[in-house]
Each structure stands twice: as structure tokens, then as C-alpha cells.
Amino acid sequence: MDVRSQIGMVFHLDKCIGCHTCSIACKNIWTDREGTEYMWWNNVETKPGTGFPTRWEDQDAYKGGWMVEGDELKLRSTSKAKIVPNIFHNPAQPSLDDYYEPWTYKFQTLFDAPEGDDQPTAIPISKITGEPMEKIEAGPNWDDDLGGSNIYAKNDPNMEGLTAEQRAQMLEIERISMFYVPRICNHCLNPSCVAACPSGALYKRGEDGIVLLSQEKCRAWRSCIPACPYKKTYYNWSTGKSEKCILCYPRLEAGEAPACFHSCVGRIRYLGNVLYDMDKMREIAMRPEDELVDAQREIILDPHDPDVIEAAEKAGIPDGVIESAQNSPVYKFVKEWKLALPMHVEYRTFPMLFYVPPLLPVMSTTQGDVVRNDLDSLFADIDKGRAPLEYMAKLFSAGNLGKLRYSLKKELAVKIWRRYVTVGDIEEEEARRALLEADCTAEEADDIFRLTALATTDDRYVIPPFQREMAMEMIIDPQELKAEAGFGFRSAPKRS
Amino acid sequence: MKNLPNNPFLQDSLDPKARKWEEFYRNRWQHDKVVRSTHGVNCTGSCSWNVHVKEGIVSWEMQALDYPDLDPNIPPMEPRGCQRGISYSWYLYSPLRVKYPYIRGALLDLWREARAEHDDPVHAWKSIMDDPAKRARYQRARGKGGLRRTSWRTSKEIISASAIHTIKEHGPDRVVGFSPIPAMSMLSYAAGSRMLQLMGGVNLSFYDWYCDLPNASPEVWGEQTDVNESADWFNAKFIAVMGANLNMTRTPDVHFAAEARTNGSKMVVFSPDFSQVAKFADEWVSVNAGQDGAWWMAVNHVILKEFHHEQQNEQFLNYTRTYTDSPFLIELVADGDDWKAGQLLRAGRLDRYTEEENNEWKFLNWDRNENTAKMPMGSVGHRWGEQQGKWNLIPKDGKDGSEIDAELTFLGDHAGVAQCRFDDFADGEKVTRGVPYRTVQTSDGETVRVVTVYDVLMAQYGVGRGLEGAYPADYDDEKAVYTPAWAELYTGISRDTLIRFAREWAVTADKTGGKCTVIIGAGINHWYHANLMYRAAIHALVFTGCVGVNGGGLAHYVGQEKLAPMDSWASLALAKDWYPASRLQNGPSWHYIHSDQWRYEKNGTDYNTVPSDAEDRMTDSHTIDVNVRAVRSGWLPFFPQFDESSIELAKRAEAAGAKTKEEVVAWVKDELVSRRLKFAIERPDAPENWPRLWFIWRGNALMSSAKGHEYFLHHYLGTHTNRVGQDLAEDAVQDVEWAEKAPSGKMDLVVDLNFRMDTTALYSDIILPAATWYEKADMNSTDMHAFIHPLAPAVPPCWESKSDWDIFRDLSKRFSEMAEKHLPGKTRDIVLAPLAHDSPAEMAQPTMADWTKGECEPIPGKTMPGIAVVDRDYTNLYNQFVSYGRIPREKGLGAHGTHYECTDFYDELQATKPVHRWEGETYPSLKDAEDAANVVLALSTVTNGELAYRAYKEMEVKTGLELADLAERHRSVRTNFKDLQARPRRLHNAPLWSGLCADGRPYASYTYNIERMVPWRTVTGRQSLYLDHPGYIMFGEHLPTYKPKPRPDEYSDLIFTEAKGPTLTLNYLTPHGKWHIHSTYGDNERMTTLSRGCEPFWMSVDDAEKIGIVDNDWVEVLNDHGVVVTRAAVSARIPEGICIIYHSPERTYGVPKSPTRGNRRAGGHNSLTRTRLKPNLMLGGYGQFTYHFNYWGPTGCNRDTHIVVRRLESISY
């Protein structure tokens, strides 16, 4: 057993507002510089929709993640043979059109315009070329709230393989639905970006599993960009280095949640470390697609298990980190309650960001001009929800409908149970039956309710101790660092 | 170098030295200080933010997490904030920032020229004003570039000269100011209003102007608005969301709703489009746009039939009996062969109560014990009587104290069943239905038929109960109004969905003691008949006992009206510490009239459905005539007051021998009565009645707040306009003088305080650089949560900007200096005031008698406006501004009818805080905003526990109830500004608000009334389900009802509009959007990037296909009022027939020209709106229907608008 600690994350989509506060918290701090304008380490997508960069889930085009070939796990994007020819031209690289041309407006006109016979207006100009742009054609959030768009929703790669009826449903107002999916780097257990980097610039930190891209080592090969199936590494055209989400390690190291977590006003986010067994990685990565959700759960270890604790201690994991794993809300959502699911686990990178799928409003039926919500109980059964389960399963369980249904059923059972407890217009028998069918006990339902609804910052973000002195003493004596930190000159990454 | 250890856990596969670069991102995160502030205008969020400063520069903001604790079984408030708030720091150093004072170049040239000729700035200003060509020269240039940087010295000189010129030449009430809702930066608001009120200028209201005021709230509760804080949504077990897109507008709060769902609450969202909040719903009810009223009327039909009549639900019936006017007696009046419901029967009509004081304002119940009509306590007549202690809801007779067991219905025991007539406005018909009545003998020997409000409501809702008449056969009777089948025709939602909803609603209320909440917003409130839709929903809450309960009630969140420390703040903000009389104008009437929007329509009844047999001319006239009537009768204010200067009038009074204030009042009254003196509203377009000098601060008065924006441009500013509408009113108006040619360019000078170059700034004459919200001290509160917290400077005001407080203070100083020559000594001013809510004027007008027609005596403050005499001290205006005057010390403070003494605390301020001394007197200083904050905090009941205790003690005397225990436990708590900077502070229980919130209990409105038996401030003291004002009866709105949406052809939106190529007519909606709070934030780079770089035109896929529009195509959107050019957002989540431009874009960036309208710059969303006022909302002098600023009056509704849209091949800038 090779025990590692990894920061994990859960986004509870049933609560997501789609507000993008997270995106801006991140942008303000990290990607507001020349060369980073188009980077959205955190973005939020409306589903169904094509997302950012557009159609990023289309791995036939972008070639992200891993694939199984015989008994080998291979990067889709590259191989040793392909690295060199692809360095100068990689057909799977998203282009500026797949992102967008950052723009601003010529605001100075408003102050400077000489008196004329019409009102001046600040025209849009490119942030890259400075040239006027007559029409803005794309942005990082272009299909926001467009759910049911005959262009964007229709071209959502997850629509492929749905029945014609299911596809049509999502484009009609009578039966439409939409929900939001915030995305950051998944800090995967098996990161394809790390594997693809010819310079060794990408690495996974030992203490927390955060995937970082060294601004010293990066040589702009950009192999990581197609390799990441989530399109979460970006090339900085100004510095010539790629950059990506750093999970706000400077904040985590100071005991604060990452900015996008801290700022989440929907209170949908959870963060905590889990212990996993690196020895199992190769085996689980080869499993058939519909077993991948279980496989990922398997590799996460029970932090209360004495054997695990012993092995963790042997691996040098401090007590405080083990204790933190025991209190991790991520462990609860993912492993204990099986509510949270990895997005597109079929890419086989084993993302450490998990999503609790959303319950959506009940489907309506239309007769003539009259719309009817067909309900025979207070809450609709999950099969009557407005997004086809097959669609959601493509996102969150590699198409495994059972895993998705399990989550949604349990979410619904918690509601039914709490309705019984707080109102009583649902019979106890019915409430208990709902729990039973959802593989849930009353205690578990109450726990899920509390962590979903009542959790404070400290409950949502259980940040392991970072023991910065231990990290730094491998480079410099902390006593020296205390006295010297901050003196000297900052140096920006240099193009190499 | 020491030997450094190696740790396998940390090192993993990598050489630790290879990780040294990680300091790169750590350096970015490091910062120098963190300061608490917030965002100061027009957002209910009221979130606390940590502003991070790095090297003296604001670098970013992150949410504060340290809110006061709520009950541990309620989710905490953190982190609060949204995408807009977190983008604010972009503005500080952006190219949109107004860094220096700016002036319109054409005006500056004229000014320099005039100053060269005139040494005196006032004379210089006059020379420009007296020359129409010069005036037109710079007015024409408004909004068209040519701005020049100028100095503070020049700006202050011009502004002061203009103010003095206006006061001398036209009167002080031609100086006006507009600033939106003060709550979010209350001292910045107060700065301008204080200066204006000391000057005798006018403050324009905002809450009603935005159409955020829900008139149903004063109608039913006598309360402007009081709602539960968002945390209380978590307590609700059934949440109906209508016209409110919580994700958009309550972004920091919506988690409470989401979390409630996990706790088993049911959530139903009503919206014509699949809105963002629909995603959260258990059920999305895709109700047809603007038809929510029909839904709730039918829901009430089901609730009353099943739960009241059939099941006799005791909880619901007891609540209805105790807390509503349902058991009150209405007098039936003959209507041909039939009867109809009239006014409430007055207690004074009965022998038993002839001696009772105010007995015209005390009412009757039928007592089951004595089997007779008796007079319960708690009505408005008890509130303002000499006899104290009877204003309460205890069911006892106000005369003899005997118990009253009030009869709700005469169904079981009656003298007969009267066939009464009811209006069915949906079909334009009348129906006759039986209502059981009893009879009473009046003291003049007459026998009158009385019915209970409850029985009349049952009849109106069509609950037959076996009575004769045109009652519906059953739920499927679609011909009969208010059945579920009838509602189906209007809402588009099936009857069985409605019936199931009504049952789930009522069962939830029954099981939980009333925990059903309606979250309601602008999507309802912006319709012309919003008050009716609101009332229908309120009735569903009231009939199931859901109002005044945690987890229950009407949660109206449109605008942020709750300035928590209202009591002390109002004295400071309205300069009531110096002068008791202020000039406060209801914005809708003011803009409707002054921007000449009234000229573009005929009779109000063209679009307002009224009873076909209405007799009074009021129901069939031009709306401006009703407004004139309202001003003459003291129902509404209007400024300017008189057809001449109020100062010149005072001089004339003096010349005529009127020396004392009483003599002046009598003289002015005589002048008015003789009609020698006219009201300005009677000659609205006469140059002497134009508003002249306009201060705008904290807001976007010319764009996002300008309903009828293009009319503003023409009539106020005298610049270009894209409207094509023409005069229509000439033949329709009677009480106003018709000017052949409508004036253009009424405003002499428009001054804007701004931190960004928004549309208002672009069109103003002088732009003063204002400090941002991260650069000044101020305070912030809202109704979404029950705490107060600060704005504070993270950095000093950047470049040449100053805080609003300092700007108005400095202007006051320059003004005072100039006044020494031009307005020396005391200047006598005459101030008219409408009849005021929360005063005995609530009993002024039991009937609608018009003194101008000889129908009643003209009595100031009773049948006509109050007349006050104020002696202004212009040379000391600055000293007054920076000194907190003595009136609060001598007379105490209060708000909403509360009162408390505060002499000791005033003296304490004077002894312990900074002071200002002048003319031998010492006052608490208001020189700096922080001083002002400490005065507000020290003297308010919500932040000073002792004062809350005193206010309750006074309420005990008024009500005869024990109340002071509510404040006992926090009596010793005090709060100052530094406390707020340390952490947001939760407010105390205090009687100026109707909710209780001690010990982390979520604030819920009216819990004070329900739990402590304190009356509502209405006619009966109960929740008013029946509005017996004679004007309401006249307009057919005394009963809850359904009125159809005005049709586009009736609404004159599209009479003159050109149709070019394939076009489509759509109902135009402007809900609040995702990428701005009103217009703020929408123009910053974060928001433009995350949206589409424009405010798109949202339309359905099907409508787009009809006229060949593809997503992101350019479109031109037109009607008579103006034009918008933008790009289309095409989505199946929008239904056919409607379109959306989210409120509110700016004209300042990315707006192309309009090919159809002369290739001029196209406008913003308000280019397509025009104001229509609803006449019955102008009534006054009658219980809750009595004016108060932002509390009562017509609203600037805009949802019923129609447009045509067409595709544009290409555009030009």
C-alpha cells in the first residue's frame, strides 16, 4: 500500500446558481495579466451547451486524456513517436477561435471625443491587437443561460448518442432544462498533462497532489494543452509559459480555501484531503468504462482503517493530515454516501473534483395551449426530471446510469425524509421506504442534510495542515527564511 | 549552509529545489492590508467585503466571512457576494474612472465669456440663462462629446451660482436632487439630501419611480415594505417564487432557498421563461407573462372553498378573524334593484358610539355574545385619539372593554341574502351574487344592511356556499371568474396543476402553522396592475395564516428600501434637525409631468379597465388631471409648488401685512382658494415652473432610472432624441394649461457626481469625480439580512475624487459664501406638504370632497396640502450642514409612528465626540462622514438598546400592551462606527420595524404584530383585505380582482413606429440581469467578457425564425419612444411573444447607430419605455392611503410595453 494524500473537491450542482463569482475571484488574483486574458482557470458552463473552449468534451477533435489499447494505457494526444513532429504543429490544439479574442472598449473616447452631432460611444477593440472589432463573436461564457439553444445546446457533445426524442426535448421550451457546471483543474490522480510534458514542467505535489506547472521549466511545447481532456492548461502568449489552476496553494498553505471556493455564494463547494493507494493506480486505470466510478472510489482509502493509518505514517504523512482526511467532507460525499461523481471519468485521468448531480424540475406536458405538471406526490420521481438521465450520466458517470440514479435517488430521499421530519404531510412509512430504496438510513439522511444545508466555512473546507516549515526546510532553514523572506527582487518567468 | 532534512511525503518524486519557483504565485497573493467595505448603491446584497491592498493599490476583493451568528439550525450567511460585487475593483483605476472634474466645453466657453463681463458669478450665470441662444447652445451639446477637464474651484463656483440664481429667480423648489435608495450608502445619500433640504430644494423619490414599491403593501398593511430576511426562507416549507429571479437578483441569498429544498421544502417557480431560478424548482409553472394574478385569484377560490368553507379549518379561520379586517362590517348600498358593497360602516353611525372620539374612523364587528355590532379597538381612530392605550388587537370593545367574539360570516344567521353586484373586468361584465346580511339601526333612525368583509370576499372569489346568484357551478366552470378552469384561459396552466398547488399550499400551512412564503419581485411589480396581482397572492398567504410567521409571508424584494436606522438617519438626511418641513417629491408624478410624458397619451382609461358605470370624472380622464386633483387635495406632493417663487410669495404675504407664520399660512390659503395663486402643476410647461438645477449622485438618473429616457433627453436636456411619438393629450386634458409647443431643455444645469463615465455623466454639464466605495466611510443595511455594516476607505479617494459627503459639504460652503451677498439674513420660504402617513392626517378625508369645487371647506392639512413657513439661513447653510441641530434634542426622534427622547445621548455626543461651534453655540459635528455615522448609530433604536427600550415604552402607552421586554435584554448595547469596521453588527428589536430578530432568530415581518397584538398602520388596524376608500370603490379595486393587461393598441407604444422589412411585434420585458446591478458593473471588463459584450435582445427560437434572425445577429428594436440596436440571443428557454433586454445597459459602449431613426446613436433599454401612472394610487388622506415619501403614490411601471424588432444586415458605430 503506497498511501498518498490528495486534496479533493466536491461541487454540489443541485445548489449551483451559475453566478460566476468563482471565476472572477480567480481572475482578479491570477489571470489578469497580459498573456492570461483568455485564461479562465475557473469557468462555469451552462449545460446543455458547448462550454469553454467550445466543444472541449469532443475528444475526437481534441484528443485529451488516456485510452486503453490492449493492456496499455496511452495518452490519446501523443506518444513518444509523435512528440517531435507535433511540437510545431499539433492539430488537436485549440485555436483562438475555440477560445475567444479578448476585447475591451475604447473608453477614453467618452472623455476625449470632441463635440459632434451625435453621442460618442466606446467601440470594442481587441485586447490582443488593439484593433476595432465590429462584432464580438465569441467569449469565455458565450452560451451562458442559453439552455435550449438551437446552436449551442444542440452541439453539446454529450447530446451524441441520445435518442432523437431526448435531443428534441432539450430544445423545446415546454420540456427544456438547464443547469450549471463550474470547472477548475481536477488535479487528477493520473494527470495526462503531466505525462505529456516533454520538459517535466508539470508535476504533482507530494504533500497535497496539487498539479503545478513550473514557470521555470516550461518550454512552451504546449503538449499539456491537448493532453488535458478538460482543457485546463493554457498557453501564456506573453511569457511563453503555460499556466493552469494552482488550487490557490498560496492560500491553502496559509490555511485558507482557494479563492473560487471561498467566494462560492451558492455554498456548493467542499474541499478536503483523501488518502489513496498509489499502488492501485495502474490496475484501476485499465478497468472497463462502466466500472470506473467504482474503481475511483476503491482507490480512495478509509482513513479510519488502522492498516491505512499505519501505512500512511510509514509514508511520512503527518498525523494532522491523516486526521484531516478523517474529517474530510469529500470523503463523505464520494466514498461514504456515494453522492458525488467524477466528471468524464472515461478520460481515465481520475479527476479529484466530484460533482453531486442536480435534481431538476418535474417535466411538463402540453395539451393545446395548456401546460400541466404531472405530479401525484409532492416531489417528482427522478425519472420525471427535466433532463434525460442518459445525458447527465454521460457527464458524471461515464454513461453508467445506475451510478447516476443512485446519487439522484438518495438526494431525493433526503428531501422526502426531511419533509416528513419537518412538516409531516408525508407519511413516515413512505419516507422510510424512500430511504430504503435509496440505500440510506435516517441518520445518514440527516448527516447529508446538515452538510448540504447547514455547513459553515469550516465544515465545508477542511484544510489539512501544510507544515510549511517542513516543506521549506528542505530548501532553506525556516529560521533563516523567517528573517529573510521578502527581501530581494521579484523575478517574472522568462521566455526560454 | 546547514544540512537540510529530506521528507518523503513532501518531496515525492521531485527535487525540492525544483519547487523554489512556487514563490512566483505566492508573491502575487501577498498583500499589505485588508479593509472592510461594501458596494454602496442599489443592490440588496449588502455583503461585507475584504478589500485587499497591495503597494497602496486596491488589488482585489474577497468576501468577509464574519457575519453575526444566526440560529444554529439555520444555514449561515457566509460568504455573501456575487459576480458583480467581486468585479468592482476593476473600476478604481480603469479608463472609465472619472478622475477629475469635467465640464461641457460649450458651457465652459460661455462661462468664461460671461465671467469676463461679470465679476459676480451669479450675475455671470444669469447672463447666460437670460439668453435663449446661449442656453440652447450648450444644451444642444449635451451628450455629444466636447467635455473638458476643469477644477474643483470652477465647478463649485458655477454650481453655487446656478443654485443661488435659481433660488432668487424661480424659487428654491426648482433645485432638485436625485439619488437612489439610500440604504446602501446612507451617508452619501444624506449628504446631498441634507444640502438640498437646507436650501429648500427637492428630493425625488426612487422606490416608487423604479416601480419597486409594491402598492399592495401599503394597501394591505399600511407599510411601505417589510419583509423577512433571506435566512428566513430556510424556515419556509413551501416557497412560491414569482416574478423574482433569485439567482440574478438575490445571488448571495439564493442558497437559503436551495438549502430549504434539501430540508424538504417545496419550491415552485412561476415564470414565462425557463429562468435561471427555475432550475432550482420542484415545479416550474410556465405561466403566461403578466397573468400571475389570475393564478392566485383561482388559488384563493380553491383555498376558501375547501379549507375555509368545507373544512372550516380552525387555524385559518381564527387567524382570519383575529388579524384581518374580515369580520368588519360593510354597509351595502343600493345599486338599481340590487346592492353593492360600500364603505365600512362607521361606529359613529350607531347610538352606542355617538360620543366616541374619532368615531368616523372606528369600525364595527358583529359580536356573537351580544348579537350586536360592536366597536373593536385598534383602528386608526384609536391610534390618533386623545385616549391612549386602545390601539391594539385585543378583541374588546373600545368603549366599554367588553369582550368581542367577532362573527366572520353571516351565512348561518342572517336577516336575508342581498343580491350584490360584482365587476368581472376580465370579460367586462357584471355578475350578481347573494351575500348574507344583517341590519343595524343607525342613530338617525335608518336601517342599513351590513355584511362582513369575509362574506363579500367569499362572493367575490365565487365561493357559492349554497347562496343564490351567479356563482360558479364547479371548478370546471370556465365562464365564471376565478375558478381554476377560468384561470387556465389566462395563465395557460392546467386547472388540475392549480388545484393541486392550492391544496399542497394549504396543507403545508396547516401542518406548519403558516410556513408558506411567496418570494415576489419586479417580474410582477412592474406590470400596470401589479397591485392587484400582489393582493391576490397576499390573500392566499393571509387566508392560510402565513403572514407574521417565521417561514411565512410575502417576501418582496425589489429595490432595497430598508434603511435600518431610519429613525435617526432621517433627521440628519432630511435636515429635520434644523427644519421640520421638507420638500419630498414622488418621482413618478414629477417625471411624468416635467418630462412631458403625459403629453403622449390620452385618457388613462384607454388602458386601465374601470367599472363601466363609474360615475366620477376621475375614472374617465387624463391621468394628469387626477394628479392635479391629488395635489390640490393634499394627496400627493408636487414641486415646484406654486406658479411663482415660494420666496417671492412670502414677500408678497409680508407686503400684504401677514407677519406671523399663522398669518402667512392664512394668507397663502386665501390666495389659493381665490385661485389667484395657482399650483405649478396646473401650468406644467410654463418656463417659470420648470425644474432648473438637477443634482444626480449615486445613480444613473438619465439612463437606468429614466423611464422614458428619450423624453428626458428632449424635454429635460434639450438635446437629440430618437422618439417618434407625438402629442396626443391636448383634447383629453382639462385641469392643466396646454402649451402649444412642448418645451425642450428645461434644465439649466445638470450636475452629476460619479466615479465612472456612465450615460448620465456623459449627458451632464458638470461631472464631479466621486470617491468609489473602497475610498470612503459610510454605512450599509438592507432588508435581506438584519445587520448593519460599513464602507471604509481601503485607499484615500483616487486622483481628484472626493466622497459624496465631502463634495456636498464643500458645495455648501461655497454656496454660503456666495449667499452673503445674494441671500443675506433670513429668507422666508413657504413649504407645501401633502397629508402624511403616520400622522393624524390619516383621518383627514373620510370622503373625497374637492374644495376647488366647493364640495368641502378648504382647510390646510385636512382638505388641502399643509402650509408651513420656514425661515432659511442661507449664509449659514454650511454651518448647519456640519452641525447636528437641536430639534432632535428638544423633541426626540422616531419613525413609522414611533417616538423616543434622546436628549442625554445628544449631550453625550456633544461631550465626547467632535463638535462644531458657531454663533456661540456648540453642536455635535457632522464635518466628516464618520462623525455623521456615529451620530446615526448613537441615536437609532436599532443600534442603541436603551433607545429601543424607550421607544417600546412609548408604544406601551399608545397600545396599552406590554412590549418593553422585547428590548430589555439588549438595553445596554451601543454600537459605533469602529465596531462596525470590526464586524457587521446584528440589529436590535425595535418598534419601527415589524419583525423580531433577537438571539439569531431570522427576521420575519409582522411577527411583532402577530405575537404582540400591535395593530398594522391601516384603517382598521388589521390586514386590509377590503379597501373601502371611496376612490377604490370607484375604480373597482376595493375588492381583490383581476384586470386585463393593457393591450398594445391601447397603450400607444406603436402608433408612429415605422415597419421596415420583416418585423415582429413582441411584449418587451426588462427584468434584472446577470451581469450588472442596474447599470453598475455592466460596463466593466469582467462583466462584458462574461456576457457577450453587449446587453443582448433575448428572443425565442421560433420568433427568431419567423423573421430570419440567427443567434448573435444585429437587431434593431423600435417603438414610438425610441430605438435600441443590439445583438440577438436566441434560446428555446424564452417563450414566443415576449422578448427580454435585461435591465440595464449603458449607451456608452458598443452601441451602434440606428438606421431607421436617422442613423443616430441608438439608445438603452429605457429608450423603449414611457411612464403610465395608475390613478387610484394617487388617493390620500385616508388611513394607509396617506402619502409618505417612497411609501405611497403611483409607480413607474413598464412591463406592458410592446416593440417591433427586425434584423440588421450590418451596423456602424
Side-chain angles (χ1 to χ4, degrees), chain B residues 1102-1116:
Chain B
D1102 293 338
D1103 282 338
E1105 276 170 6
K1106 284 174 206 163
I1107 50 172
I1109 292 172
V1110 177
D1111 187 71
N1112 209 39
D1113 274 353
W1114 288 106
V1115 290
E1116 189 175 35

Side-chain angles (χ1 to χ4, degrees), chain B residues 190-269:
Chain B
S193 59
R194 184 169 176 83
M195 184 195 81
L196 284 165
Q197 291 305 320
L198 288 169
M199 252 179 216
V202 179
N203 282 104
L204 300 177
S205 69
F206 32 84
Y207 192 43
D208 45 357
W209 174 230
Y210 298 152
C211 203
D212 291 354
L213 166 69
N215 289 92
S217 181
E219 285 174 344
V220 176
W221 294 308
E223 185 79 60
Q224 178 195 52
T225 301
D226 205 2
V227 296
N228 45 6
E229 67 177 300
S230 55
D232 197 44
W233 302 346
F234 186 75
N235 284 321
K237 301 314 299 187
F238 199 112
I239 304 175
V241 180
M242 56 191 292
N245 196 350
L246 302 182
N247 303 38
M248 300 292 96
T249 52
R250 310 298 148 214
T251 313
D253 305 287
V254 62
H255 71 87
F256 288 114
E259 285 152 352
R261 291 172 58 232
T262 305
N263 198 23
S265 303
K266 173 140 184 179
M267 184 159 157
V268 181
V269 168

Side-chain angles (χ1 to χ4, degrees), chain B residues 1008-1071:
Chain B
Y1008 173 52
N1009 306 86
I1010 295 286
E1011 293 171 27
R1012 309 307 288 248
M1013 303 304 271
V1014 175
W1016 281 266
R1017 287 132 61 210
T1018 60
V1019 169
T1020 60
R1022 277 75 179 173
Q1023 304 182 72
S1024 295
L1025 304 184
Y1026 185 74
L1027 309 179
D1028 86 321
H1029 191 298
Y1032 267 72
I1033 296 173
M1034 193 184 289
F1035 279 97
E1037 297 192 10
H1038 51 315
L1039 284 160
T1041 191
Y1042 170 88
K1043 286 188 176 181
K1045 283 164 67 172
R1047 291 201 312 270
D1049 56 315
E1050 300 163 335
Y1051 219 43
S1052 46
D1053 283 331
L1054 296 170
I1055 298 176
F1056 303 96
T1057 297
E1058 324 80 339
K1060 285 188 182 172
T1063 59
L1064 199 62
T1065 302
L1066 298 171
N1067 185 189
Y1068 169 65
L1069 309 181
T1070 55

Side-chain angles (χ1 to χ4, degrees), chain A residues 4 13-21 24-25 28-30 32 103-105 107 110-111 113-122 124 127 134-137 140-142 144-148 150 152 171 173 176 178 180 203 205-207 212-215 243 246 249 251 253 262-265 267 316 318 361-362 369-373 375 378-379 386 415 418-419 422-423 449 453-454 456-457 460 468 470 473-477 490 493, chain B residues 2 4-5 7 9-10 12 14 19 21-22 24-26 28-29 55 61-63 65 73 75-76 78-83 86 95-97 102 137 141 143-146 237 247 251 254-255 259 261-264 266 274 276 278-284 492-494 496-497 500 504 508 757 763 1074-1075 1083 1085-1090 1092-1093 1098 1101 1111-1112 1114 1127 1130-1135 1147-1151 1153 1160-1161 1213:
Chain A
R4 310 275 175 104
L13 297 186
D14 198 47
K15 297 180 75 181
C16 184
I17 307 163
C19 68
H20 302 252
T21 310
I24 298 165
N28 279 347
I29 302 171
W30 303 121
D32 203 14
W103 73 91
T104 182
Y105 301 83
F107 290 118
L110 302 173
F111 295 86
E115 189 180 325
D117 62 356
D118 202 359
Q119 184 216 295
T121 200
K127 281 197 86 164
E134 192 201 307
K135 193 174 185 184
I136 294 155
E137 302 273 8
N141 185 34
W142 195 251
D144 188 71
D145 287 338
L146 271 186
N150 54 353
Y152 301 97
L171 303 175
I173 183 156
I176 197 173
M178 62 184 181
Y180 305 106
Y203 60 100
R205 301 213 307 188
E207 66 268 42
L212 290 183
L213 201 163
S214 166
Q215 296 297 293
E243 293 191 53
I246 58 171
Y249 66 82
R251 288 178 54 96
E253 289 167 356
H262 179 112
S263 66
C264 176
V265 297
R267 298 160 37 88
V362 65
D369 291 337
V370 174
V371 177
R372 170 178 284 107
N373 287 346
L375 265 180
L378 210 53
F379 303 121
R386 276 179 163 260
K415 268 175 78 159
R418 294 301 302 174
R419 179 81 187 179
T422 59
V423 181
F449 152 68
L454 300 180
T456 64
T457 307
R460 301 197 301 277
R468 290 292 302 146
M470 286 164 68
E473 73 184 349
M474 293 192 289
I475 307 169
I476 180 174
D477 181 344
R490 291 181 203 161
Chain B
K2 294 171 199 158
L4 296 169
N7 183 324
F9 164 60
L10 292 152
D12 205 48
L14 205 69
R19 286 178 51 181
W21 77 272
E22 286 177 11
F24 172 68
Y25 290 119
R26 287 190 195 108
R28 170 62 185 167
W29 173 247
E55 300 182 17
E61 55 277 89
M62 292 288 290
Q63 288 111 317
L65 302 175
N73 290 310
E78 43 87 1
R80 299 195 71 80
C82 75
Q83 70 273 33
I86 203 166
L96 261 181
R97 179 77 196 258
Y102 283 88
R137 169 67 190 88
K144 296 180 192 160
K237 301 314 299 187
N247 303 38
T251 313
V254 62
H255 71 87
E259 285 152 352
R261 291 172 58 232
T262 305
N263 198 23
K266 173 140 184 179
F274 189 86
Q276 291 78 356
K279 172 250 181 200
F280 276 125
D282 292 300
E283 286 185 62
W284 170 49
I493 306 299
S494 81
D496 41 318
T497 297
R500 185 174 45 74
E504 286 177 0
T508 304
M757 187 57 89
Y763 279 83
K1074 190 163 184 173
W1075 308 110
D1083 51 4
E1085 205 172 292
R1086 298 281 179 275
M1087 300 293 104
T1088 53
T1089 300
L1090 285 176
R1092 289 180 164 203
W1098 286 79
V1101 173
D1111 187 71
N1112 209 39
W1114 288 106
R1127 287 175 271 134
V1130 179
S1131 169
R1133 75 173 185 82
I1134 310 288
R1147 297 179 73 154
T1148 47
Y1149 66 97
V1151 173
K1153 299 204 171 193
R1160 305 301 298 253
R1161 181 79 51 217
Y1213 287 113

Side-chain angles (χ1 to χ4, degrees), chain B residues 169-183:
Chain B
E169 196 83 10
H170 306 291
D173 52 5
R174 278 75 170 171
V175 179
V176 297
F178 176 79
S179 185
I181 323 266

Side-chain angles (χ1 to χ4, degrees), chain A residues 350-366:
Chain A
F350 297 99
M352 287 312 287
L353 163 54
F354 301 84
Y355 293 91
V356 179
L359 289 169
L360 292 166
V362 65
M363 183 64 80
S364 309
T365 54
T366 307

Side-chain angles (χ1 to χ4, degrees), chain B residues 1159-1179:
Chain B
N1159 213 33
R1160 305 301 298 253
R1161 181 79 51 217
H1165 73 306
N1166 264 335
S1167 293
L1168 302 170
T1169 58
R1170 175 163 67 73
T1171 309
R1172 283 92 171 171
L1173 307 183
K1174 198 167 168 179
N1176 52 311
L1177 305 177
M1178 297 182 179
L1179 300 168

